[in-house]
Amino acid sequence: MGSIENLLLKYYPTDEIPPENNFPRWIETEAHSLYGPLISTSLHRVHKALRLANCNAGDRVVDIGCGDGRFCTAAVKIFGAEFALGIDSDACAIATASEIADALAADASIRLDRSRVSFTHGDVRDSNIRELIRESRISIAIAYLFPEFSVDLKDFLVNLYNTGCTIVAITFDLANIAELRLADGFDKAGEDGIWVYQQHETLRTSTPVPNVLLVELNRPAKLNAMNKTLNTTNADVVARSMWRELRELFGAVSADADVRCIVVSGGPHSRGFTTGLDLVDFVADASHVGGSDPARAAFAFFDTVSAMQASLTAMETCRQPVIAAVHGACIGAGIDLITACDVRYAAADSVFSVREVDVGLAADVGTLQRLPKVVGNASWVHEVCFTARAFSASEALSQQLVSKVVDGGHDAVVKAAIATAALISEKSPVAVTGTKNVLKFSRDHSVEDGLKYVAVWNSAMTQTEDLRVAIATSLSKGAEKPRFANRLVVHAISPPAPMPTQDPFLFAVYHKDAYPAGDAKMQAPKRGNGADFDPQAKYRMYHGDRIPGFPQHPHRGFETITCTLEGLIDHTDSLGCAGRYGNGDVQWMTAGKGIVHGEMFPLVNSDKPNNSRLFQLWINLPKKSKMTKPAHQQKKNAVMQWSENVPLHKSADGKVVAKVWAGSLHGVAALPAPKDSWAARDAGNDVHIYHVAMQPGSKYTLPPPARAGANRTVYFVEGARLRIDGEDVPRHSAVEFRQLAQTSTAAATATTVLENHGHDAVELLVLQGMPIREPVVQHGPFVMSSREEIAQAFSDYQRTQFGGWPWPDDAMVFAKDEGRFLKIKGRKRETPPASSTTGKSEGNSADAKKDEL
């Protein structure tokens, strides 16, 4: 008996766990008296949550927020599912099911292992948590949401949902569930405070190995029969069908840069691959379609069949290769499905049949069109289609319907298919997609037409970076294994909401506010509400009252970089330092072991608008530097870059101007970063920060990284039309290049080509750097490496206030007529230079002027 069963026997003896339909009554009586109100109430809600998520014997469940997982474990057992992982609520620690069970069985406290997890804003892409989720094959996640649930947890759930996992959110006195909004269309009221976020009813998706998607047909009780509607008594559930979900899933996956190969199988608890069309469902639906008019009924039937055909064609036209892994019965529409796949494997126990003639139909969704081309034996095809007889896996192999027969059942054939998919995923995705397209075209055209097609295709596709990487690594005689970049990974952004970042960056936001003229006290016409971040408003007050901005607040463990474009900022801090900067200035502040500062936006113009535009960035500090002295206490650190001194790079045609805020660009070096920064010049971490302004019709190339494995993100914040490496990018997007080049050979050629092909100017923010790859635990303004360090940060702040606040106002601003200045305690007051220009132009020895588009 496994550890989970032992756990249940200890806490929930078998004779006390009632059948599912009696569970609520048991909760109200025995469980309440045995385990107390909190446990009984939680058990009841978890049970209801799993029921709403259609939990069944094929599911593996993760518990997020309950810590020891005992509520979830008991409820999961009732449904015959399996408990897989426990994760604490801020997604910074984890324990496997066996570890939880062993600890509870021994009456020991749960010690969740934080060494495995290093999150940035709950990022499920973290390799450690991704590996655990992959190994555990999670299909349902139960999350407990309290009023103070964090942005980290929300981000974690959104990313987990995007992997195909069903999310069940259980709320406790959460007033505004709209804050969660895991996905559009899933914000309706839940039942008893339970919200279910589910992408698919009839399919399960997972990522067993990197870049490989496993799609499992998931109607085990119906032998994976392919239904047209979802049989449900819940009127609030949107009807789903396997046909529809196949079409939607493969349409979406085709554009997914992270997926390079797809495996389709029956689920591990299914007795076979599929028994084909769900005849009961289909006949019941067809009986009332079209009414009594035969012509209208025919039109309705035609539309239905066309939609079903499109579902399987979506698999055939999907960019990625699709491998079918068949076990058990593959009947009727199952043959239609697998002939739309590129590769077919079968378990030795597989049985096939083109069964349509036995139910009075001609196969109408692909078999009669694709099967003859797949096997090339017309006589055999006619025989099996006319007779509807069953044939074995060995016969399917002899007729070339499948390319491999695997000894064993479901697990063996899926393992073999995944191994082949993993091998395919190591190849250039551009080359693999091209090969699939050319093969498909040539199947349906003459040799001559096929040759012309591949010539045209390769005339464009040989420009890919993958070709140079493959050739270079080939010439290295196997010294390095080639690793090819995914296609662009694009995220939508909605300023002023935080934008997605990659290690070493923690946070990035673009503030753009059209403040009106201020009054004599530099105040706005409206009063703030304490947290004004309304994206629809012309301007926001943020945490300010009458003057917008961010009154005094603490930081520890990272650096803030404030890059201004328009408007002024008044800075004050707990070290007694102060300044007014803006209109192109950059302030770099190392929070280190702790600092309190305020950033207010005084509306100094009383006769015209006070437009404000700036980027606020956080870059992490490695663990060894988190307790360094704050920047203003480090005499050699540059804490202010006046706009007059910010280095610029200007393209040869003058259409592109790039501000170099960190690192270097085409020979133009930025001003030095603080000495303990991850971006310090002598640290060798390839950190670069640019603001790139591009006129219409301009083109610009970002250089390759100096080191293999650097992350790069391009933020498209202003403008209408942009191409990156030949692909159109939506307006307001963040485009990620993850670990830009995995080898030194690839790094030398991994450039990024930007093209403004619209009629408006384009503005971009570019962030790049080597990942720190250390655990990240964030709570509000503190970013450390462990929860214990976070707790210490709160304790230190409560005790010392990080030096206290020496200013008369929490939202300190300076005189209206005050110019730009910097005053560091113990040093002379500093003002911008009267005239200074730094820059370099391609093809022009003259310095580039500080000009903006």
Side-chain angles (χ1 to χ4, degrees):
M1 182 176 293
S3 56
I4 293 296
E5 286 75 8
N6 286 328
L7 173 65
L8 285 167
L9 287 175
K10 180 174 178 61
Y11 280 92
Y12 309 101
T14 303
D15 58 356
E16 293 182 3
I17 297 181
E20 179 183 341
N21 57 348
N22 292 329
F23 191 77
R25 180 194 61 77
W26 181 77
I27 281 291
E28 293 172 1
T29 55
E30 287 90 343
H32 190 282
S33 61
L34 286 171
Y35 307 116
L38 175 60
I39 292 181
S40 64
T41 301
S42 297
L43 274 169
H44 191 186
R45 299 188 80 186
V46 171
H47 174 266
K48 180 175 286 188
L50 291 170
R51 176 174 57 79
L52 292 174
N54 297 315
C55 182
N56 60 48
D59 286 314
R60 290 172 61 78
V61 182
V62 60
D63 179 291
I64 303 173
C66 197
D68 63 14
R70 68 182 70 184
F71 307 152
C72 188
T73 304
V76 164
K77 183 69 175 179
I78 294 169
F79 288 90
E82 186 175 352
F83 180 71
L85 290 174
I87 305 178
D88 76 349
S89 58
D90 57 6
C92 294
I94 210 162
T96 63
S98 60
E99 290 167 342
I100 291 172
D102 292 344
L104 288 177
D107 282 330
S109 61
I110 304 301
R111 299 185 61 82
L112 300 178
D113 185 357
R114 299 181 183 89
S115 66
R116 302 187 206 159
V117 185
S118 56
F119 284 106
T120 300
H121 293 293
D123 190 349
V124 78
R125 290 184 309 244
D126 176 87
S127 59
N128 296 307
I129 183 65
R130 184 178 62 208
E131 183 71 12
L132 277 169
I133 289 173
R134 179 187 69 77
E135 291 177 351
S136 303
R137 298 178 65 198
I138 301 301
S139 55
I140 296 176
I142 292 184
Y144 304 85
L145 305 184
F146 295 88
E148 65 273 17
F149 81 94
S150 66
V151 173
D152 290 0
L153 178 56
K154 174 181 175 179
D155 289 345
F156 177 81
L157 294 177
V158 169
N159 284 318
L160 192 57
Y161 170 82
N162 288 336
T163 69
C165 184
T166 294
I167 306 296
V168 186
I170 301 177
T171 61
F172 293 85
D173 301 321
L174 187 62
N176 185 12
I177 190 64
E179 291 182 51
L180 186 61
R181 285 302 297 271
L182 288 183
D184 291 337
F186 291 88
D187 56 347
K188 62 183 179 182
E191 180 180 331
D192 191 26
I194 300 170
W195 277 257
V196 177
Y197 301 84
Q198 196 164 38
Q199 288 186 320
H200 304 108
E201 296 280 356
T202 66
L203 306 173
R204 293 290 189 199
T205 60
S206 60
T207 306
V209 296
N211 302 122
V212 173
L213 180 70
L214 175 63
V215 179
E216 296 172 311
L217 309 184
N218 185 50
R219 298 188 76 213
K222 298 291 185 179
L223 302 178
N224 289 336
M226 301 171 72
N227 64 322
K228 184 174 182 295
T229 60
L230 177 69
N231 297 318
T232 178
T233 57
N234 187 348
D236 292 331
V237 177
V238 178
R240 307 284 183 90
S241 81
M242 187 177 290
W243 296 99
R244 172 184 167 186
E245 291 192 344
L246 283 169
R247 183 170 65 251
E248 292 177 347
L249 175 65
F250 279 87
V253 169
S254 183
D256 190 335
D258 283 338
V259 177
R260 297 187 182 183
C261 195
I262 304 167
V263 174
V264 179
S265 75
H269 299 279
S270 301
R271 284 180 285 169
F273 185 74
T274 176
T275 53
L277 182 67
D278 188 331
L279 291 175
V280 175
D281 172 87
F282 188 80
V283 172
D285 184 72
S287 64
H288 63 270
V289 174
S292 59
D293 186 341
R296 287 176 171 79
F299 275 128
F301 185 85
F302 177 86
D303 291 341
T304 296
V305 172
S306 297
M308 294 162 66
Q309 291 173 347
S311 298
L312 301 189
T313 299
M315 301 175 66
E316 182 179 53
T317 58
C318 179
R319 286 186 184 180
Q320 299 90 339
V322 181
I323 302 175
V326 179
H327 81 288
C330 180
I331 308 298
I335 304 292
D336 296 291
L337 189 155
I338 67 172
T339 54
C341 297
D342 301 291
V343 179
R344 290 163 293 279
Y345 287 178
D349 65 355
S350 300
V351 178
F352 302 84
S353 176
V354 184
R355 189 66 59 85
E356 279 80 357
V357 295
D358 275 354
V359 294
L361 292 171
D364 54 7
V365 289
T367 291
L368 301 185
Q369 292 71 38
R370 296 187 177 102
L371 184 59
K373 295 180 178 180
V374 168
V375 302
N377 184 335
S379 176
W380 184 83
V381 169
H382 292 164
E383 177 199 341
V384 296
C385 292
F386 293 158
T387 64
R389 72 170 178 85
F391 55 94
S392 66
S394 60
E395 185 176 354
L397 178 63
S398 69
Q399 295 298 331
Q400 300 179 26
L401 174 60
V402 300
S403 57
K404 180 181 289 188
V405 173
V406 180
D407 290 335
H410 168 274
D411 292 351
V413 72
V414 170
K415 181 179 179 180
I418 289 172
T420 299
L423 181 61
I424 293 171
S425 71
E426 294 176 357
K427 312 304 179 184
S428 161
V430 175
V432 171
T433 296
T435 300
K436 176 172 177 172
N437 277 328
V438 172
L439 285 170
K440 181 161 59 70
F441 182 91
S442 298
R443 179 196 65 186
D444 300 327
H445 295 80
S446 68
V447 172
E448 182 180 1
D449 289 342
L451 290 171
K452 290 180 180 178
Y453 182 82
V454 72
V456 173
W457 180 276
N458 274 351
S459 66
M461 292 303 164
T462 51
Q463 300 179 51
T464 176
E465 185 69 26
D466 292 5
L467 182 63
R468 291 192 289 273
V469 172
I471 292 174
T473 51
S474 177
L475 293 175
S476 70
K477 298 181 179 181
E480 293 179 329
K481 189 175 183 179
R483 298 187 185 181
F484 302 98
N486 294 333
R487 294 190 301 273
L488 303 183
V489 180
V490 181
H491 303 278
I493 58 176
S494 301
M499 303 183 293
T501 56
Q502 299 187 83
D503 191 359
F505 293 92
L506 301 166
F507 177 84
V509 66
Y510 175 48
H511 292 300
K512 181 181 180 181
D513 297 282
Y515 293 114
D519 63 14
K521 296 182 179 180
M522 301 176 288
Q523 299 177 139
K526 73 175 183 179
R527 184 182 293 274
N529 61 12
D532 178 10
F533 290 82
D534 182 1
Q536 305 302 320
K538 291 183 178 180
Y539 66 91
R540 287 144 289 275
M541 298 299 289
Y542 301 108
H543 295 308
D545 179 22
R546 294 301 306 275
I547 297 177
F550 300 84
Q552 63 129 322
H553 55 280
H555 289 305
R556 170 180 278 187
F558 62 99
E559 295 177 283
T560 68
I561 310 169
T562 307
C563 308
T564 67
L565 300 173
E566 296 181 80
L568 295 174
I569 299 175
D570 281 358
H571 167 95
T572 47
D573 63 42
S574 54
L575 301 177
C577 306
R580 171 171 287 176
Y581 65 100
N583 294 323
D585 300 332
V586 176
Q587 186 202 51
W588 201 306
M589 187 186 78
T590 303
K593 67 179 181 180
I595 193 170
V596 180
H597 76 137
E599 299 165 299
M600 305 304 297
F601 309 154
L603 307 186
V604 297
N605 298 324
S606 56
D607 56 348
K608 61 181 181 180
N610 289 273
N611 292 328
S612 175
R613 292 199 302 139
L614 61 102
F615 296 101
Q616 180 69 62
L617 311 175
W618 293 4
I619 184 170
N620 199 14
L621 286 169
K623 182 179 177 65
K624 66 179 183 179
S625 302
K626 284 187 175 294
M627 296 300 287
T628 189
K629 292 181 179 179
H632 295 325
Q633 291 183 345
Q634 300 179 27
K635 295 181 179 180
K636 295 184 179 181
N637 276 348
V639 295
M640 183 67 71
Q641 299 180 8
W642 300 114
S643 63
E644 292 84 354
N645 293 335
V646 170
L648 307 174
H649 179 264
K650 191 173 182 180
S651 63
D653 59 7
K655 291 184 176 181
V656 179
V657 176
K659 292 183 175 181
V660 186
W661 288 331
S664 62
L665 179 61
H666 295 306
V668 176
L671 298 175
K675 69 179 181 66
D676 290 318
S677 172
W678 189 250
R681 190 172 295 171
D682 58 357
N685 293 318
D686 206 22
V687 175
H688 304 271
I689 305 174
Y690 314 132
H691 173 262
V692 182
M694 305 178 67
Q695 292 181 10
S698 60
K699 195 171 183 179
Y700 194 70
T701 300
L702 299 177
R707 292 181 59 187
N711 291 326
R712 176 182 287 172
T713 307
V714 177
Y715 300 91
F716 181 12
V717 296
E718 296 288 349
R721 306 287 296 276
L722 177 69
R723 286 195 187 105
I724 298 182
D725 289 344
E727 292 191 35
D728 288 333
V729 174
R731 183 172 180 265
H732 287 167
S733 296
V735 181
E736 291 183 352
F737 299 83
R738 300 174 186 168
Q739 297 185 6
L740 199 58
Q742 293 287 344
T743 68
S744 57
T745 304
T749 58
T751 58
T752 301
V753 180
L754 312 170
E755 182 180 359
N756 179 359
H757 62 110
H759 300 290
D760 301 312
V762 161
E763 292 188 46
L764 311 170
L765 171 70
V766 179
L767 303 181
Q768 178 181 315
M770 291 296 297
I772 295 176
R773 295 192 180 95
E774 291 181 354
V776 173
V777 182
Q778 179 181 349
H779 198 296
F782 304 141
V783 181
M784 303 301 290
S785 301
S786 69
R787 297 185 69 185
E788 291 78 10
E789 291 173 346
I790 289 289
Q792 187 63 51
F794 275 100
S795 175
D796 292 346
Y797 176 63
Q798 292 170 355
R799 179 171 50 85
T800 68
Q801 297 295 297
F802 293 162
W805 189 248
W807 304 96
D809 193 338
D810 287 347
M812 187 68 187
V813 293
F814 303 107
K816 187 175 183 179
D817 59 355
E818 182 71 71
R820 291 150 60 214
F821 75 95
L822 175 66
K823 181 65 176 72
I824 296 178
K825 191 173 182 179
R827 299 192 221 171
K828 293 182 179 180
R829 177 187 173 99
E830 180 183 333
T831 57
S835 176
S836 179
T837 305
T838 304
K840 180 178 178 181
S841 299
E842 292 178 355
N844 189 342
S845 60
D847 287 342
K849 295 191 302 181
K850 190 181 97 43
D851 52 352
E852 291 297 319
L853 299 178

